[in-house]
Structure formats: structure tokens, C-alpha cells
């Protein structure tokens, strides 16, 4: 299986509730390696651009308001089959439907405050990592 990279975000609600450690522990336990990480607060323009694919959706403004409501932790992850592995560990988008033991089941509050974001495919992973990190900031392990 191929070594892949993917982007993960600990969302504002999970940062506020002090769940960074719990979330990163689950990612590492799944065999994913953190190769870059930083905390930042998105501007509305940045959040809108990051979630551009959802711009026409009814929840877009709610999504931007939430993602700019406080600091986030963004991390680039590396590992075998990292994109699918990360999505497995995250669980379903709606925490109420996420499998027990997944990040969203344990740390999500609702479909908006769902604890984490993760890239959904190889092309989005590449674009999303580049959105936050320069190539020189990625420390392959
Ligand atoms: P994420 O993986 O960050 O990708 C887009 C986000 O939009 C998603 O997680 C959810 O937090 C959010 N989202 C998706 N559907 C809805 C919805 N129906 N209402 C509010 N937020 C949503």
C-alpha cells in the first residue's frame, strides 16, 4: 500500500474543550505520523477559500462562522493509506452517526462542531496541505 499524506484539522470546539491531545493520540494510535503542525485562527476569507467547494451549500455561512470562532490546529499526516485511514479514525461527518471509538463519536458535538476535518481524496489532500504548509515545513518521517 502506498505512503500518502493528508490534512487534518482539529476544529475550534475541540481546541476549546482541550481535546487536542486525545485527538492526536487516536491519529497516532492508528499509525499516522504528524509531519507538520501549527495552531492558527482562520480569517473569514481563508475559511471561505478552504471550504470553497461548499460555497453554494445552505450551511456555508454557519461553517465559516464556526471555523473562524477560535483557533484551530492543522496537521499534515503521513502513513500507509493515510487518507482513508484518517477518515476511518475520524468517523462519519455527523457525530451522532459516527462509529463508537472514532474521533467524532468521542469528541464531536454535532454535524457543525464535529471535532475534526480530514481530506477526502488524494487531490484534495495535496491542495489542502499546500493551503497551510510550505513544502519546506513538511518533515517526512
Ligand atoms: P468537514 O469534514 O470539515 O467538511 C465540511 C463540513 O461542513 C463538515 O465537516 C461539517 O462540519 C459541515 N457540514 C456538513 N453538512 C452540514 C450540515 N448539514 N450542517 C452544518 N454543517 C455541515
Amino acid at each position: 500500500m502506498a505512503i500518502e499524506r493528508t490534512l487534518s484539522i482539529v476544529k475550534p470546539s475541540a481546541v476549546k474543550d482541550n481535546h487536542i491531545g486525545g485527538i492526536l493520540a487516536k491519529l497516532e494510535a492508528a499509525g499516522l505520523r504528524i509531519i507538520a503542525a501549527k495552531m492558527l485562527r482562520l480569517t473569514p476569507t481563508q475559511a471561505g477559500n478552504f471550504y470553497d467547494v461548499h460555497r453554494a451549500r445552505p450551511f456555508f455561512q454557519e461553517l465559516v462562522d464556526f471555523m473562524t470562532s477560535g483557533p484551530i490546529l492543522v496537521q499534515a499526516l503521513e502513513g500507509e493509506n493515510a487518507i482513508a485511514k484518517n477518515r476511518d479514525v475520524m468517523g462519519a461527518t455527523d457525530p451522532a452517526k459516527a462509529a463508537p471509538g472514532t474521533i467524532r463519536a468521542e469528541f464531536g458535538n454535532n454535524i457543525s462542531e464535529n471535532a475534526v476535518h480530514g481530506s477526502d481524496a488524494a487531490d484534495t489532500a495535496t491542495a489542502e496541505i499546500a493551503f497551510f504548509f510550505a513544502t519546506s515545513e513538511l518533515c517526512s518521517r
Side-chain angles (χ1 to χ4, degrees), residues 106-127:
E106 283 199 20
F107 302 119
N109 301 326
N110 52 59
I111 197 166
S112 176
E113 299 182 9
N114 62 354
V116 283
H117 167 82
S119 309
D120 63 0
D123 55 344
T124 48
T126 300

Side-chain angles (χ1 to χ4, degrees), residues 11 51 54 59 62-63 93 104 111-112 114 116-118:
K11 295 189 176 185
Y51 281 115
H54 297 304
F59 58 83
E62 179 188 342
L63 179 59
T93 304
R104 283 168 167 163
I111 197 166
S112 176
N114 62 354
V116 283
H117 167 82

Side-chain angles (χ1 to χ4, degrees), residues 19-20 70 125:
H19 291 317
I20 291 172

Side-chain angles (χ1 to χ4, degrees), residues 14-131:
V15 171
K16 183 163 171 269
D17 294 340
N18 239 8
H19 291 317
I20 291 172
I23 289 170
L24 298 192
K26 281 187 178 288
L27 297 174
E28 291 192 328
L32 294 161
R33 299 182 292 279
I34 298 164
I35 60 165
K38 66 174 116 176
M39 183 174 280
L40 60 107
R41 186 164 179 167
L42 288 169
T43 66
T45 300
Q46 287 174 315
N49 288 339
F50 183 78
Y51 281 115
D52 195 51
V53 68
H54 297 304
R55 206 171 280 277
R57 308 284 282 273
F59 58 83
F60 179 73
Q61 192 56 50
E62 179 188 342
L63 179 59
V64 169
D65 289 347
F66 169 59
M67 290 301 290
T68 57
S69 66
I72 59 173
L73 191 83
V74 291
Q75 50 277 329
L77 307 174
E78 188 175 76
E80 272 195 17
N81 208 18
I83 297 165
K85 197 174 273 183
N86 181 41
R87 292 182 70 77
D88 283 350
V89 183
M90 288 196 303
T93 304
D94 183 350
K97 296 176 183 159
T102 60
I103 291 170
R104 283 168 167 163
E106 283 199 20
F107 302 119
N109 301 326
N110 52 59
I111 197 166
S112 176
E113 299 182 9
N114 62 354
V116 283
H117 167 82
S119 309
D120 63 0
D123 55 344
T124 48
T126 300
E128 290 182 355
I129 290 171
F131 189 94

